[in-house]
Amino acid sequence: AWAWTLIALAFFILYIFLRRSQLAARFSFLNTFPFIPLLPIFFFLGSAYYQARQPNTDAFHLIFYNDRSYDLLITGYIEDAPDYRDTYTNLTLNVEAVDSGDGDLPVSGHLLVRVDPNETYEYGERLRLRGKLKTPPENEEFSYRDYLARQGIHSYMTTAEVTRLPGEDGNPIYRLIYGFKEQLVANTYKIFPDPEASLLSGILFGVDTGLPKKLQDAFKTTGTAHIIAISGFNIAIIAGLFFRFFKWTLKNERLGAIFAVIFVFLYAFLVGGDPAVMRAAIMGSLSLFAKQVGRRNAGFNTLAVVAALMALWNPLTLWDVGFQLSFFATMGLILYAEPLSNITIRFFEKITKQEATAVANIINDNVMLTLAAQIMTIPLMLYYFHRFSWISFIANPFILPVQPAVMILGGLAVFVSLILQPIGQLLAWVAWPFAGYTIRMVEFFAKTPNGVIVFGDVPLWFIYMTYTSLLLVTFNWSAIQNWFKSAASSLRAIALTLAFSIAFICMITFWSASAKSGDGQFHIIFLEAGSADAILIQTPQGRNVLINGGASTSELSDELGRRLPFFTRKLDWLIIASTDEDQLAALPRVVERYVPENVLWSGNVQASFSAR
């Protein structure tokens, strides 16, 4: 950290020197964009802050005891809501002490431990665990170690003997929040049947572990997983409800906004406080604040401030996939929601010859807003998940319109059931059709053949180029339009030239390929390949058989390239009829270019260097 700080200081001194010297006058763009020389300084300071936040691996931190070959005794308290799964339960412990055989040693750190299912645990409960500490695993597709590190967890225990200790620890407010959440989830399963109960637990309280894997995959396939992951969409509905409720009850708009912000953050903590949730909560709160002080809410400024605050709170948030998707979805809404909505409005105005209709507004709310968000998230989805769900563009307009009803009616039913169970049950019967409709539509669209296009690994440079191109076109669209208008005649000439060139190249390519493919005749071709001949046999069906290879790599490769079909880079058979050096010297390198599917040997493999 100190090294990065010194580098930042050196650049700051250089910046001051350039500003006071005459060199700055030679670079006019520095006067227009004075912040550009400051960017490296902020980058290096960010690097210093990132390093300063890394844990020290010493005997007083839990990481020090990872991957030991013996069991350890770990003492701590549960610092997060238990994560109940079908076959196990995840607990997050704030560790206080480690006993490796010589008594308790005070340590700090956080531990994720997997314990047996069907046991009930509570926030703040003190435990003593016996087991082996491990470094969280990672592979080529997913790094569980990095995922947990973003939550401050660097140690993992897959199995443990659990002993409950007397007393409680932790924050009393968190204990109340988590206890309240547990009761809400339990009531959800009391008044709703599954799978609707599990869906509502995910939508309302961020507990989606009750959904079976098949249904979770259906949400992912249809691109509607953002519904069950608490995000800006959910927070926007909650913030609007809280604001209207407190404004109506308190008869004061500003006081209502203050209470709405407080309850939005309480809700964010209730559902787990993931980076995507906190981003939405902070942005929603800033929007309410801007409205109350009479200032225009500049989307980009708000988004930048929120990202900076969250990076200050936890630098590793920037690497969180949920935060990245939420950030770019919000950027897409800021950039493209209004232009896309205007396109729809103009289209319907041309058809109806009057102001925008209700149909245009419905399309904007349920299609164009989704499209605006997805424009900026598709590259990230390709990079992280290697898939593109085109069916999501069809599924979302059918599913999103009912989500406010799912959240409002479902949430109201659960909260009322805490006070009056029968009335809560009645409200649940009213809310159930909307949740049921959501699940049935997701399952219906998930059955669409080839609804998801699967990609291989997408390189990082492709993501950078895509976002750079998108932003360049977005911010310079008027200039690009003017350039196209001024260069229209030249562009037409270039387009025609390219069209004729591509047609000519395609014609030559296919003519060459057809000329070299199977023509119904049997060909035996003696290839000149140095001091000895190689023989190429082409069957009426277009199969290619090479016998021996000769002495010259370049000549054999040239002969094969001229005679094999254009789209073929393989041999059906390679026959080694002689293992003499002059008959095979060209083959070791040529068979890397024209790989044989089958090989037939004749002779002693050890007879020559090339044969071996």
Side-chain angles (χ1 to χ4, degrees):
W2 62 264
W4 285 115
T5 305
L6 288 178
I7 296 172
L9 181 61
F11 268 78
F12 180 71
I13 294 171
L14 179 63
Y15 169 75
I16 296 297
F17 172 75
L18 288 175
R19 292 291 296 178
R20 294 188 175 184
S21 68
Q22 296 181 351
L23 292 173
R26 299 182 182 180
F27 302 99
S28 57
F29 73 93
L30 292 179
N31 296 322
T32 309
F33 304 103
F35 62 88
I36 289 179
L38 293 172
L39 291 178
I41 300 172
F42 282 108
F43 174 79
F44 295 132
L45 287 175
S47 301
Y49 181 66
Y50 172 85
Q51 291 293 342
R53 289 292 300 269
Q54 301 305 309
N56 292 321
T57 308
D58 55 25
F60 298 99
H61 197 284
L62 194 62
I63 300 178
F64 184 79
Y65 301 95
N66 284 2
D67 304 316
R68 304 294 175 100
S69 59
Y70 48 84
D71 286 351
L72 295 164
L73 285 174
I74 310 292
T75 305
Y77 68 90
I78 301 174
E79 64 171 351
D80 203 349
D83 179 16
Y84 298 105
R85 304 295 178 100
D86 289 342
T87 57
Y88 61 88
T89 298
N90 281 330
L91 301 176
T92 304
L93 254 69
N94 189 323
V95 177
E96 299 170 345
V98 170
D99 182 1
S100 59
D102 299 327
D104 282 352
L105 177 69
V107 298
S108 61
H110 306 277
L111 167 67
L112 180 70
V113 58
R114 182 172 290 185
V115 298
D116 294 334
N118 301 322
E119 285 282 343
T120 303
Y121 297 92
E122 294 180 358
Y123 170 85
E125 190 173 355
R126 293 178 56 78
L127 302 176
R128 193 167 179 87
L129 309 173
R130 178 187 290 276
K132 291 183 174 67
L133 282 182
K134 299 179 181 179
T135 300
E138 62 179 348
N139 55 41
E140 293 180 357
E141 295 183 358
F142 178 69
S143 175
Y144 198 44
R145 182 171 66 185
D146 292 342
Y147 171 77
L148 292 178
R150 289 192 284 272
Q151 305 171 41
I153 302 171
H154 301 278
S155 301
Y156 182 51
M157 193 177 278
T158 53
T159 57
E161 297 177 14
V162 182
T163 303
R164 298 176 189 262
L165 301 178
E168 290 182 336
D169 214 328
N171 191 314
I173 297 176
Y174 282 4
R175 190 179 301 116
L176 287 174
I177 291 175
Y178 289 133
F180 184 51
K181 176 180 179 179
E182 189 175 338
Q183 193 173 357
L184 288 170
V185 172
N187 270 40
T188 304
Y189 281 94
K190 284 181 183 177
I191 62 177
F192 287 97
D194 249 338
E196 289 77 18
S198 295
L199 175 66
L200 285 163
S201 293
I203 291 176
L204 295 173
F205 312 117
V207 182
D208 59 356
T209 53
L211 288 170
K213 187 177 185 304
K214 184 178 180 181
L215 186 54
Q216 290 187 21
D217 290 340
F219 274 97
K220 293 175 184 176
T221 299
T222 55
T224 53
H226 60 90
I227 292 172
I228 53 176
I230 306 292
S231 62
F233 180 75
N234 310 66
I235 295 293
I237 296 173
I238 293 295
L241 282 174
F242 282 146
F243 178 63
R244 288 183 178 87
F245 174 76
F246 287 113
K247 178 184 174 183
W248 175 70
T249 54
L250 299 173
K251 308 298 181 183
N252 186 306
E253 186 171 326
R254 290 200 172 185
L255 201 57
I258 293 171
F259 274 90
V261 169
I262 293 171
F263 275 83
V264 163
F265 276 101
L266 285 175
Y267 177 76
F269 285 119
L270 178 73
V271 300
D274 293 335
V277 179
M278 296 309 297
R279 180 212 59 78
I282 297 172
M283 284 203 70
S285 302
L286 289 175
S287 297
L288 284 173
F289 174 76
K291 183 180 180 182
Q292 296 308 311
V293 297
R295 298 297 296 273
R296 185 170 58 89
N297 182 24
F300 265 118
N301 293 352
T302 307
L303 187 61
V305 168
V306 169
L309 290 174
M310 295 187 68
L312 282 172
W313 179 260
N314 181 5
L316 292 174
T317 297
L318 298 176
W319 283 267
D320 186 87
V321 178
F323 171 76
Q324 292 177 12
L325 289 171
S326 176
F327 181 90
F328 279 98
T330 306
M331 184 185 291
L333 289 171
I334 294 170
L335 289 176
Y336 306 117
E338 186 175 349
L340 290 174
S341 298
N342 290 337
I343 290 173
T344 308
I345 292 170
R346 286 197 295 268
F347 174 76
F348 277 94
E349 284 178 349
K350 288 181 180 178
I351 295 176
T352 60
K353 304 299 181 183
Q354 58 186 9
E355 292 186 1
T357 62
V359 178
N361 294 328
I362 293 173
I363 292 175
N364 284 335
D365 291 341
N366 300 294
V367 179
M368 291 306 179
L369 289 182
T370 304
L371 179 61
Q374 288 182 320
I375 287 173
M376 294 298 286
T377 57
I378 286 173
L380 282 178
M381 298 291 287
L382 295 179
Y383 179 71
Y384 285 116
F385 307 114
H386 315 299
R387 51 198 288 162
F388 169 64
S389 175
W390 64 265
I391 196 65
S392 65
F393 295 104
I394 302 173
N396 273 291
F398 281 89
I399 295 167
L400 286 179
V402 302
Q403 293 318 298
V406 172
M407 286 197 67
I408 296 170
L409 294 176
L412 191 62
V414 175
F415 279 96
V416 170
S417 70
L418 294 176
I419 305 168
L420 295 169
Q421 175 89 12
I423 297 179
Q425 184 63 71
L426 286 173
L427 290 171
W429 290 337
V430 175
W432 176 84
F434 298 99
Y437 168 84
T438 300
I439 292 173
R440 302 306 180 272
M441 292 304 293
V442 166
E443 291 175 336
F444 171 77
F445 285 111
K447 296 176 182 177
T448 305
N450 302 315
V452 174
I453 302 172
V454 180
F455 291 80
D457 290 337
V458 178
L460 195 58
W461 61 262
F462 172 79
I463 306 301
Y464 288 136
M465 285 188 61
T466 302
Y467 280 121
T468 302
S469 303
L470 269 174
L471 294 175
L472 282 175
V473 171
T474 301
F475 290 111
N476 297 280
W477 179 239
S478 57
I480 293 172
Q481 283 182 312
N482 293 334
W483 182 82
F484 269 101
K485 289 176 182 178
S486 61
S489 58
S490 302
L491 289 173
R492 279 195 293 269
I494 294 172
L496 286 172
T497 304
L498 284 174
F500 281 116
S501 301
I502 291 170
F504 178 75
I505 292 169
C506 290
M507 181 183 70
I508 296 297
T509 301
F510 284 104
W511 174 81
S512 175
S514 61
K516 297 176 183 177
S517 61
D519 57 0
Q521 302 294 320
F522 189 90
H523 301 267
I524 301 179
I525 306 164
F526 292 87
L527 309 175
E528 292 190 21
S531 58
D533 290 332
I535 302 171
L536 177 65
I537 298 175
Q538 293 181 316
T539 69
Q541 293 79 23
R543 299 293 184 91
N544 298 284
V545 181
L546 177 65
I547 303 176
N548 289 351
S552 173
T553 299
S554 58
E555 291 183 8
L556 178 63
S557 183
D558 178 79
E559 293 277 4
L560 290 175
R562 292 175 184 275
R563 288 172 172 80
L564 290 179
F566 182 80
F567 299 107
T568 300
R569 301 287 298 173
K570 67 180 182 62
L571 297 166
D572 295 280
W573 278 90
L574 170 64
I575 298 177
I576 308 297
S578 170
T579 53
D580 293 342
E581 180 68 22
D582 61 345
Q583 298 285 353
L584 302 182
L587 285 180
R589 279 188 287 169
V590 170
V591 292
E592 294 179 354
R593 305 170 189 173
Y594 302 93
V595 181
E597 289 191 349
N598 307 281
V599 179
L600 179 64
W601 278 87
S602 175
N604 181 13
V605 176
Q606 303 296 323
S608 66
F609 176 79
S610 295
R612 290 195 296 274

